[in-house]
Amino acid sequence: MQCLRFSFLLSVLLFLAAPLSAMHLESGGKGKAAMPIRILLTGDSLMEALGPQMQKAMSGYENITLIPIGKRSTGLSRPDFYNWPKVLEENLQQHRPHIVVMWVGTNDPQGIYGKTGLGEPCSREWLKAYTYKLMEIAGLCQKYHARLIFMSPPVMDEEPLNTQLLKITDIMRRTCKHYKLGFIDTRPLLADSQGKYVHRATMPDGKVKDIRWKDRVHITDDGNILIMNKLLPYMGSIIPEERAGKKSLERTNKYRSFSPPGRSAIRVR
């Protein structure tokens, strides 16, 4: 227990002590060759599906490397089952990414490992403990000078899961705002105008497609297009254009139209 507290406090101190400028990517400068950008895609089974799809869609971006390491049935609540801080630090050391995208939360409404007396999952005390988990991830990314983007769990059809994930989304949003972290709220991307779960949605090309699988939890390739149409421009706002080989990440409906090696299916300016 003391070891866990020490690890958390060390991460937070590293996070707060590092200069804010480390959160921003520097350009190569005029006349300098574009430097490769490494993006680490981490998270549960939702990222396990999204990561490889993004990797294929962006295969034509020679100066951008995506590294997907999604692991199903995981989250931040149960490091005894899968220790994301440990796995993340190993990958931060190995790959030295400029950006880390983490999509977790869907599996987290359960008892937090190593904590007692927290009450029901997503209660006030539980959310306080979960905030420490988020800060630990942020501290690790700051330690290795990587820009962190958290993605919220998506809207769900089942209760009380949907309400629990809404609370996780809220605490994730507030934590990201306070510590100036990147944040993508996936809930409205897969919901109707009232924020309710929908199984089918209108795509950018006007066609109506299934965006969730039959389990009403996992997201189809078409649903992931809606996610990428939010995530990719957000990452593009972080990556200076010259660092991405002068290609801007834009909204498109062609992320599933994977092109042959060496060519990009993503529209560029």
Side-chain angles (χ1 to χ4, degrees):
M1 190 70 166
Q2 290 181 344
C3 182
L4 286 172
R5 288 176 178 171
F6 175 79
S7 176
F8 160 69
L9 290 173
L10 179 60
S11 298
V12 173
L13 287 172
L14 287 167
F15 176 77
L16 296 175
L20 184 61
S21 60
M23 297 294 287
H24 302 281
L25 300 176
E26 298 178 357
S27 66
K30 186 175 181 180
K32 294 184 180 180
M35 297 175 63
I37 295 291
R38 295 176 297 280
I39 302 174
L40 191 63
L41 304 173
T42 65
D44 55 30
S45 57
L46 301 181
M47 183 59 83
E48 211 173 29
L50 177 66
Q53 188 175 348
M54 285 181 61
Q55 196 175 40
K56 291 177 183 178
M58 297 180 66
S59 61
Y61 284 77
E62 296 180 357
N63 291 316
I64 299 179
T65 299
L66 299 183
I67 309 157
I69 57 167
K71 179 69 173 177
R72 68 188 60 189
S73 302
T74 64
L76 302 183
S77 294
R78 294 289 304 278
D80 57 320
F81 173 71
Y82 194 80
N83 192 329
W84 265 116
K86 180 177 181 294
V87 172
L88 177 61
E89 183 158 29
E90 290 171 351
N91 280 274
L92 286 167
Q93 291 175 341
Q94 178 181 351
H95 300 292
R96 298 287 172 169
H98 301 90
I99 298 173
V100 173
V101 182
M102 176 164 274
W103 198 359
V104 292
T106 302
N107 300 308
D108 280 330
Q110 55 181 301
I112 291 182
Y113 178 74
K115 299 288 184 179
T116 59
L118 296 179
E120 292 295 321
C122 300
S123 64
R124 183 175 178 179
E125 288 302 312
W126 188 99
L127 289 170
K128 182 178 179 181
Y130 192 77
T131 302
Y132 296 158
K133 299 285 187 181
L134 298 173
M135 292 170 65
E136 183 178 11
I137 297 296
L140 287 171
C141 290
Q142 184 70 0
K143 176 181 177 181
Y144 291 91
H145 307 291
R147 177 68 178 265
L148 174 62
I149 302 171
F150 274 119
M151 295 175 63
S152 78
V155 62
M156 291 292 173
D157 189 37
E158 178 185 337
E159 291 291 357
L161 178 61
N162 184 58
T163 299
Q164 291 172 330
L165 297 185
L166 180 58
K167 292 180 179 180
I168 288 177
T169 296
D170 182 58
I171 202 70
M172 190 178 287
R173 178 190 293 107
R174 285 192 282 158
T175 301
C176 289
K177 182 179 180 179
H178 185 77
Y179 291 104
K180 296 180 172 59
L181 308 174
F183 177 70
I184 298 290
D185 188 354
T186 71
R187 293 181 63 89
L189 305 179
L190 305 173
D192 64 15
S193 58
Q194 284 75 45
K196 302 295 185 181
Y197 173 96
V198 292
H199 199 79
R200 294 170 64 80
T202 302
M203 302 301 293
D205 62 358
K207 296 181 180 179
V208 178
K209 300 286 187 67
D210 287 343
I211 59 174
R212 306 295 278 267
W213 292 110
K214 290 181 179 179
D215 63 7
R216 307 181 77 82
V217 173
H218 292 92
I219 301 167
T220 66
D221 287 349
D222 287 299
N224 279 331
I225 288 175
L226 302 179
I227 299 295
M228 287 192 284
N229 271 340
K230 180 73 173 181
L231 176 60
L232 294 186
Y234 189 94
M235 292 194 304
S237 69
I238 297 173
I239 304 171
E241 195 167 318
E242 64 271 25
R243 292 285 298 274
K246 298 188 182 300
K247 292 185 177 182
S248 299
L249 307 180
E250 297 182 355
R251 292 177 58 87
T252 179
N253 193 44
K254 299 183 179 180
Y255 290 129
R256 287 182 63 191
S257 303
F258 304 144
S259 59
R263 299 181 61 190
S264 175
I266 303 178
R267 294 182 305 184
V268 296
R269 290 183 220 177

